[in-house]
Amino acid sequence: MSKDILSDLGTSYPQGFSVPEDYIYKSEKGLNAEVVASISARKKEPQWMLDFRLQALEFFEQRPMQKWGPDLRPLNIQDIYYYIKPVTQQTRSWDEVPDTIKNTFDRLGVPEAERKHLAGMGAQYESEVVYHNLKEEWERQGVVFLDTDSGLREFPEIFKKYFGSVIPQNDNKFAALNSAVWSGGSFVYIPKGVKLDMPLQTYFRINAESMGQFERTLIIAEEESFVHYIEGCTAPVYNTNSLHAAVVEIVAKKGSRVRYSTIQNWSQDVYNLVTKRAHAYKNSLVEWIDGNLGSGVTMKYPCVVLKEPGARAEVLSIAMAARPGQIQDSGAKAIHEAPQTSSRIISKSISKNGGRCSYRGVLKVAPGAHGCKSFVQCDALILDSASKSDTYPYIDIAESDTDIGHEARVSRIGDEQLFYLMSRGLSEDDARAVIVNGFIEPFVKELPMEYALEMNRLIELEMEGSIG
Amino acid sequence: MIEQKLSALLCQQATGQKIFQLHIEAGAQVIIEDDMGSALQMPLTIHLQRNSEVIYRLRAVNQEPGLALLQRILTIDLAQEGARAQVQVNVAARSSERVVLKTLQHHRAPHTTSEMVIKGVFLDAAELVSDNLIRIEPEAQHTGAREMNKNLILGDRARVKSIPKIEVEADQVTCEHGAAISRISEQDLFYVQSRGLSRELAQELLIEAFLQ
């Protein structure tokens, strides 16, 4: 493969295209109480939700921007559309979806066969879930997989009980923003004892210029249930800043298991600022599998609060910053509030071409939380002299009966490793790609096959042309 | 290698300074024994010139009773090529003593190495705050940096906050850090006790071994 073809492969964005805007309603740019009230009115929400949104807006306006982390000043909060509704109603079958929207998904490569195999599929297109198709047999079991608006409408008691319980409105500035203008996202409810063997997945898409995306997902897993939820997103390339400030809340009750996988591949002008947190109850297991490849600036720290004995957390995260000025500021948080809990965080990052990856994490063991174990490993590869890597782990242990380990390693690809592979006949590019794929293997092997393949392909694309 | 006590080195400094500075000249090899205990509150920076080496040891195991705070703000400035530094801190704290360690291993030149090992034992309601940064500038290629913080928490109200940070802006480097926090292993205690020692004596012995 010649070098000139490859030299721009890492920089072009294959999903970069846009569809002429075919919208029913687009709010004015900017954020104020009228915009928030009109969002709530169009969705015909109950009074308590409108109050919740308006209160959150106040918190957002009062809170200053944080002083740590990447510089968010270029983000202009008022220069964004906060609500766009592309179709008038939710459809149930693929045939009923409007053609322009269908084309979008065809061009994104969501195959027909895949749709049939998966349990249910929601697709967010400009703040509204366009398509949902839930398999009848799981509906019979009482599994709920809807867009968040429908969840609020059809299951108001459960919704109200858990909404905002894991991430309150005033948790941080961007959770407050999301709480004020949230739209779309998933509402998932798994009843007692139900174990889903096929994953639930969604796609998200930002299309209109200067569109913000504020989906809000709430997953409730009742006792002894299991669900694997997959979120993967793409966005086309635009010049003005797009903002993605999502909130994901997970409640994992006794004995349940929730696995939440993400591959984020937003285009390079997106600010991806996400608050994700789970409450893990007795003997439950919460797994965050987090892949950050795209966006201009990502700040995301999936968190598990281990509230009762026997609860476990696993976070597997990879981040790749492959463009000049790209920042992946990610990590994980494990809060041990109860005894006999354990957590494991494995974070791997790759910086090249002037990109920067930072690991930011919290490991906290409260007094009285005896018998806890935790292990954190963060490894970073820096591939050239223009790139950077940072690690900021906060470890706060207030209990004597614990077993805590943390290690981090920052390095480049070893010359001996490269030499060994090249002596077997691989080119230098191929050797580097093989080593990088090996580096992220613990993450990739946890993904379903389609995602693992996409992930490997994306890494290979980024790795090509990595010399010079 | 020359061995020096820190108190002797610092009393030569001018009064009225805000930071103590030590300059290790090119090619020099010095072992610095930090014997100042809680008397040193001000920051200390050690500048290393070309091909110099420093081994810095702080052992604060038997504090004077009633000690409230042991604080070290220590910067190792690897300013020129070939500089090497090794820092060893062993500290044991009890009752409501507080140990605050704020350290920086600053690599500003190529072919430099630094290693920092902090071991602590915390009984009763003692507390550690350990904020350790390794910073490698873009021109500091071929650097090796390592930081390790191992702690035993033995008191029911003891608390350890460990913040090992890394900022790397050069690619031809290796940089690692680790932190481990635990109790004394029951197995080790049982082994020593089975040799006829009381539990208290066994614990003391194991703490002493840990702090070697």
Side-chain angles (χ1 to χ4, degrees), chain B residues 22-160:
Chain B
L22 290 177
H23 296 267
I24 315 289
E25 287 179 10
Q29 294 176 310
V30 186
I31 299 177
I32 298 180
E33 201 66 52
D34 182 335
D35 56 338
M36 297 199 57
S38 55
L40 173 60
Q41 295 283 321
M42 281 182 359
L44 168 64
T45 300
I46 301 179
H47 301 279
L48 289 155
Q49 292 184 17
R50 186 170 309 273
N51 296 325
S52 61
E53 182 176 342
V54 70
I55 298 178
Y56 172 101
R57 291 195 193 121
L58 168 60
R59 191 175 170 85
V61 172
N62 298 309
Q63 261 72 281
E64 57 269 28
L67 168 73
L69 171 66
L70 172 67
Q71 176 173 286
R72 283 295 180 274
I73 302 170
L74 176 65
T75 299
I76 308 288
D77 175 25
L78 298 120
Q80 292 182 358
E81 186 160 343
R84 297 186 303 287
Q86 236 188 76
V87 175
Q88 297 161 8
V89 175
N90 288 347
V91 62
R94 54 186 74 241
S95 67
S96 51
E97 289 157 12
R98 254 185 111 223
V99 179
V100 175
L101 298 171
K102 193 165 155 65
T103 68
L104 167 59
Q105 287 153 263
H106 195 185
H107 289 258
R108 297 200 284 134
H111 296 284
T112 50
T113 59
S114 69
E115 184 186 75
M116 174 161 322
V117 178
I118 300 173
K119 289 193 197 170
V121 179
F122 299 93
L123 299 103
D124 312 320
E127 192 179 297
L128 169 71
V129 176
S130 184
D131 180 336
N132 319 106
L133 171 61
I134 296 179
R135 187 170 167 81
I136 302 182
E137 302 291 353
E139 52 278 9
Q141 295 288 19
H142 305 287
T143 283
R146 201 171 153 259
E147 190 267 329
M148 183 67 199
N149 182 2
K150 281 193 193 165
N151 300 297
L152 287 181
I153 299 194
L154 300 179
D156 291 334
R157 285 164 299 138
R159 191 170 185 143
V160 169

Side-chain angles (χ1 to χ4, degrees), chain A residues 362-381:
Chain A
V362 171
L363 171 53
K364 201 170 149 97
V365 175
H370 53 86
C372 291
K373 290 189 183 8
S374 176
F375 179 66
V376 177
Q377 179 184 346
C378 28
D379 293 334
L381 269 187

Side-chain angles (χ1 to χ4, degrees), chain A residues 155-447:
Chain A
F155 299 90
E157 296 91 32
I158 307 180
F159 198 95
K160 188 164 182 192
K161 182 171 173 192
Y162 294 106
F163 186 79
S165 67
V166 180
I167 297 170
Q169 297 137 307
N170 203 10
D171 188 86
N172 63 71
K173 193 168 172 81
F174 291 93
L177 177 60
N178 178 285
S179 298
V181 296
W182 71 265
S183 183
S186 299
F187 175 71
V188 174
Y189 177 84
I190 315 290
K192 262 195 206 176
V194 174
K195 297 189 190 330
L196 293 182
D197 45 18
M198 277 192 275
L200 302 182
Q201 70 163 10
T202 66
Y203 276 99
F204 297 98
R205 192 171 167 81
I206 290 177
N207 193 7
E209 192 162 338
S210 293
M211 179 55 205
Q213 185 106 304
F214 306 101
E215 75 265 11
R216 179 120 189 172
T217 292
L218 176 57
I219 298 179
I220 300 151
E222 290 282 9
E223 294 180 13
E224 308 296 330
S225 63
F226 165 63
V227 62
H228 182 187
Y229 180 90
I230 307 178
E231 174 203 322
C233 37
T234 64
V237 180
Y238 276 118
N239 283 329
T240 54
N241 294 326
S242 286
L243 169 62
H244 178 245
V247 164
V248 176
E249 298 179 281
I250 294 182
V251 179
K253 302 251 192 103
K254 184 167 124 186
S256 65
R257 177 172 166 213
V258 179
R259 172 181 268 222
Y260 191 108
S261 305
T262 312
I263 301 185
Q264 170 267 108
N265 191 15
W266 296 110
S267 65
Q268 63 194 17
D269 43 20
V270 174
Y271 282 80
N272 185 33
L273 313 173
V274 178
T275 308
K276 287 176 154 167
R277 190 173 306 153
H279 281 179
Y281 291 94
K282 194 160 186 237
N283 297 332
S284 63
L285 168 62
V286 175
E287 300 164 289
W288 293 105
I289 318 276
D290 205 39
N292 295 297
L293 299 177
S295 84
V297 175
T298 286
M299 296 178 71
K300 193 203 295 185
Y301 319 99
C303 173
V304 184
V305 183
L306 300 153
K307 285 190 153 307
E308 286 180 350
R312 278 162 33 234
E314 285 245 353
V315 180
L316 207 46
S317 134
I318 77 150
M320 180 150 189
R323 285 188 306 268
Q326 186 181 13
I327 300 178
Q328 302 282 16
D329 198 305
S330 63
K333 292 157 75 166
I335 318 282
H336 293 254
E337 285 183 357
Q340 310 297 344
T341 50
S342 67
S343 60
R344 191 165 80 123
I345 296 173
I346 299 193
S347 162
K348 300 213 167 216
S349 71
I350 302 160
S351 326
K352 77 180 259 265
N353 215 11
R356 172 175 226 133
C357 286
S358 301
Y359 170 87
R360 215 174 286 270
V362 171
L363 171 53
K364 201 170 149 97
V365 175
H370 53 86
C372 291
K373 290 189 183 8
S374 176
F375 179 66
V376 177
Q377 179 184 346
C378 28
D379 293 334
L381 269 187
I382 304 188
L383 296 184
D384 54 46
S385 51
S387 312
K388 310 186 199 312
S389 176
D390 310 311
T391 315
Y392 302 104
Y394 284 74
I395 304 170
D396 181 357
I397 313 297
E399 171 53 53
S400 61
D401 178 13
T402 53
D403 190 357
I404 308 290
H406 169 103
E407 40 190 73
R409 209 182 133 80
V410 179
S411 67
R412 61 193 293 259
I413 291 178
D415 289 331
E416 327 76 53
Q417 287 177 311
L418 267 181
F419 177 75
Y420 178 87
L421 288 174
M422 285 168 71
S423 73
R424 263 53 185 173
L426 276 77
S427 70
E428 185 167 346
D429 268 350
D430 286 347
R432 283 179 191 277
V434 164
I435 291 170
V436 171
N437 267 319
F439 179 71
I440 61 165
E441 189 257 359
F443 172 80
V444 172
K445 78 172 191 220
E446 299 297 331
L447 298 174

